[in-house]
């Protein structure tokens, strides 16, 4: 099993930046591709970004391309999400997730989930 703990959320003004981290423990981190998802109140959980096991491949949801960057440090068992030029519509709980299969944007690909960190963007 893998345990995932997100951190770095908070309140930021529109146009600002936040950096989220997700620390993993348990099985070797490099065995998993990783993803970030978010869920706003009253909405379904949606894909944000994903990264391959080595970090050489990434995928982003269209609205986030150019504003968000996913990265990972396998030595630290941590995946990151750098978010720039934040908008009020980015307000959500952000979750990281681990997948034993190839990185993908599908919720169903992921086997383990963290509890989430709240990101609030004020206008």
């Amino acid at each position: 099993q893998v345990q995932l703990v997100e951190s770095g959320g908070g309140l930021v003004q529109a146009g600002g930046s936040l950096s989220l981290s997700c620390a993993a423990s348990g099985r070797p981190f490099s065995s998993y591709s990783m993803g970030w998802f978010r869920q706003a109140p009253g909405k379904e959980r949606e894909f944000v970004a994903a990264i391959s096991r080595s970090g050489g491949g990434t995928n982003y949801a269209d609205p986030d391309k150019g504003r968000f960057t996913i990265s990972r440090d396998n030595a630290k068992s941590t995946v990151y999400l750098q978010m720039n030029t934040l908008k009020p519509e980015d307000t959500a709980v952000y979750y990281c997730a681990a997948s034993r299969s190839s990185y993908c944007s599908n919720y169903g690909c992921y086997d383990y989930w963290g509890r989430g960190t709240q990101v609030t963007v004020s206008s």
Side-chain angles (χ1 to χ4, degrees):
Q1 269 202 337
V2 175
Q3 292 77 44
L4 303 172
V5 179
E6 302 94 338
S7 62
L11 174 64
V12 64
Q13 287 188 334
S17 299
L18 277 177
S19 181
L20 305 184
S21 299
C22 173
S25 60
R27 291 190 172 181
F29 182 66
S30 58
S31 300
Y32 297 89
S33 56
M34 300 296 295
W36 284 97
F37 288 74
R38 65 188 180 189
Q39 188 166 18
K43 295 187 177 181
E44 293 186 352
R45 194 169 297 190
E46 64 177 8
F47 171 73
V48 175
I51 190 166
S52 64
R53 295 177 183 87
S54 68
T58 57
N59 186 23
Y60 296 92
D62 283 342
D64 305 320
K65 284 180 179 177
R67 297 192 301 125
F68 293 2
T69 302
I70 188 172
S71 61
R72 66 189 294 163
D73 185 336
N74 285 347
K76 295 182 178 180
S77 298
T78 302
V79 62
Y80 306 95
L81 183 68
Q82 176 66 39
M83 304 186 293
N84 299 324
T85 320
L86 283 162
K87 305 173 182 179
E89 50 264 44
D90 295 318
T91 295
V93 177
Y94 283 70
Y95 299 89
C96 75
S99 172
R100 290 173 291 189
S101 61
S102 180
Y103 69 106
C104 71
S105 60
N106 190 321
Y107 178 96
C109 291
Y110 292 86
D111 305 289
Y112 305 102
W113 293 83
R115 293 188 176 183
T117 185
Q118 176 70 48
V119 171
T120 303
V121 184
S122 63
S123 58

